């Protein structure tokens, strides 16, 4: 009886809580309020941090030069390609020249995203276009 009474009271309590609908809309803070200032500052810091992760035009040019200098030209097609060892070497060179923000593009999973030839090499142009889009 005691256990059933506890279960009954718990269900009554839950049904009383479920009767009130939670608020899902909140007014925007007023322009001069502290919460508005904090919100704007947080947004500014977030956008600044995200923009620091992006590669600028000079970084992209340096990466393209690095890719071209360390690739192998395919005899049959004339395309510039790199295998995984070249990919890792280019990653270290680019990280030295550009910084840590290019390191995220040189992961094994990114290498595996691209079409490989019989020798396991990928073309540098699709990889570079991927970096530019990202």
């Amino acid at each position: 009886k005691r256990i059933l009474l506890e279960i009954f009271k718990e269900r009554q309590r839950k049904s009383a809580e479920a009767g009130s609908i939670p608020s899902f809309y909140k007014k925007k803070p007023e322009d001069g309020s502290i919460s508005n200032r904090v919100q704007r500052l947080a947004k500014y810091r977030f956008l600044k941090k995200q923009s620091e992760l992006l590669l600028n035009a000079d970084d992209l040019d340096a990466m393209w030069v690095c890719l071209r200098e360390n690739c192998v030209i395919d005899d049959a097609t004339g395309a510039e390609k790199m295998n995984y060892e070249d990919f890792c070497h280019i990653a270290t060179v680019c990280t030295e020249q550009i910084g840590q923000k290019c390191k995220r593009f040189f992961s094994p999973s990114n290498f595996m995203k691209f079409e490989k030839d019989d020798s396991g090499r990928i073309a540098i142009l699709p990889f570079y276009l991927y970096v530019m889009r990202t």
Side-chain angles (χ1 to χ4, degrees), residues 111-130:
F111 184 82
M112 295 303 292
K113 288 178 185 177
F114 298 97
E115 184 179 346
K116 287 166 253 344
D117 64 2
D118 296 335
S119 304
R121 299 178 298 185
I122 64 170
I124 65 169
L125 185 60
F127 174 74
Y128 180 70
L129 293 174
Y130 165 79

Side-chain angles (χ1 to χ4, degrees), residues 1-128:
K1 286 183 178 181
R2 185 177 51 92
I3 294 173
L4 289 174
L5 186 61
E6 287 177 14
I7 293 172
F8 177 73
K9 286 182 182 179
E10 184 178 332
R11 285 190 180 171
Q12 277 186 334
R13 183 181 53 81
K14 285 183 179 178
S15 65
E17 289 175 0
S20 62
I21 299 173
S23 174
F24 62 91
Y25 171 77
K26 294 182 181 177
K27 288 185 176 180
K28 283 186 171 182
E30 296 178 13
D31 283 340
S33 68
I34 292 175
S35 62
N36 185 18
R37 290 180 185 171
V38 169
Q39 188 177 18
R40 282 189 298 159
L41 181 62
K43 184 177 180 181
Y44 170 77
R45 286 184 177 175
F46 172 76
L47 292 175
K48 185 177 178 184
K49 186 177 181 180
Q50 291 295 348
S51 68
E52 289 173 356
L53 294 175
L54 294 175
L55 298 174
N56 59 24
D58 295 334
D59 296 337
L60 289 170
D61 290 340
M63 182 181 284
W64 179 246
V65 169
C66 185
L67 285 167
R68 300 255 347 242
E69 288 176 349
N70 295 294
C71 69
V72 176
I73 297 176
D74 190 8
D75 295 332
T77 61
E80 298 168 318
K81 297 189 173 195
M82 62 181 163
N83 60 16
Y84 188 70
E85 291 176 9
D86 297 334
F87 185 76
C88 293
H89 175 70
I90 292 169
T92 57
V93 172
C94 283
T95 304
E96 290 171 2
Q97 290 180 1
I98 298 170
Q100 292 294 322
K101 58 186 172 181
C102 73
K103 194 172 188 175
R104 66 187 174 121
F105 298 110
F106 291 98
S107 66
S109 60
N110 279 344
F111 184 82
M112 295 303 292
K113 288 178 185 177
F114 298 97
E115 184 179 346
K116 287 166 253 344
D117 64 2
D118 296 335
S119 304
R121 299 178 298 185
I122 64 170
I124 65 169
L125 185 60
F127 174 74
Y128 180 70

